[in-house]
Amino acid sequence: MAGVIAQAGFGSFVLAVTDAKPLQVHREHWQQEDPTMNESSQQTATASMYARYIACLNRRAWSELGEFVAADVVHNGRMLGVDGYRAMLEGNFRDIPDLYFNADLVVADESHVASRLRFDCTPIGQFMGVPVNGRRVVFYEHAFYTLRAGKIAEVLSVIDKAAVEALMRP
Amino acid sequence: MAGVIAQAGFGSFVLAVTDAKPLQVHREHWQQEDPTMNESSQQTATASMYARYIACLNRRAWSELGEFVAADVVHNGRMLGVDGYRAMLEGNFRDIPDLYFNADLVVADESHVASRLRFDCTPIGQFMGVPVNGRRVVFYEHAFYTLRAGKIAEVLSVIDKAAVEALMRP
């Protein structure tokens, strides 16, 4: 979800992080770890990094987030930085305790990833302004990621709010 | 827009095409036309085909649509076929006379295109259930296209309805 929830309808977004430890940043660390990496497979490396980023989110392994997200990451036009990005994600997991990221379709080139993310979850209260209140919703997010030095530097994301609304209709 | 407007909120969608001429289908025609095409640049060919598809939409060159869209194309889970797809697009242009497709960011691999489309337009009436009524709206669509034999066989698309709603708030 990469925090679009907050951006797109969860109202007040709290950027301040009070309990965050300094994030470890291992530049290019992902390349060293990836057995498929070679000079001619940057596209594969990009997709592989993205898969490990998604796994990081699903493990809520916030101390590893800086391995995937640039220190000055921008999300839907807002300069969050990695701490703000982490705060956004932590907020998402508070609002949707069973949040899980499923990348259904990933298209990658050397410096971009586009991902269709499927969510099947039960937001506690409002979701994008829709009073979900603990009911189950299945919806998609379509996100574009621009990479710089192997890390996510910009995220542009749209969530299918219309689908959530349709699910909540009596 | 590839007709998501109809899917996502324009209410009744009319699949029937009464005045459509039979569409010409030139299989692999795009490959012959593309000077950048060679065996090793399928990714480039895919992106190039997509650029010509978008140009086709903006010219409203419906007789050429079958060069880019498969005869059994599926859009957001609905089997429209090329005639239904054309009808959807024609409906979009009726509802939004100044509709214009700007592909801001395109990520392509051998068989997929992901596109962030920017729209700056004035829908006549409701748009995705939002009473726009001739006001200007700027919003994005994030679309994933799966290609088969060089043509668009499936479209999965999300429009940023929340952004349209935000623009219409007093």
Side-chain angles (χ1 to χ4, degrees), chain A residues 43 114 142 144 156 161 165, chain B residues 43 114-115 142 156 161 165:
Chain A
Q43 186 179 349
H142 286 190
F144 287 82
L156 295 165
K161 178 179 180 180
E165 289 172 333
Chain B
Q43 186 179 349
S115 176
H142 287 190
L156 294 165
K161 179 179 179 180
E165 289 172 332

Side-chain angles (χ1 to χ4, degrees), chain B residues 123-140:
Chain B
I124 290 172
Q126 289 214 345
F127 176 67
M128 299 183 79
V130 183
V132 174
N133 298 326
R135 280 173 288 180
R136 178 186 171 201
V137 285
V138 177
F139 62 94
Y140 290 87

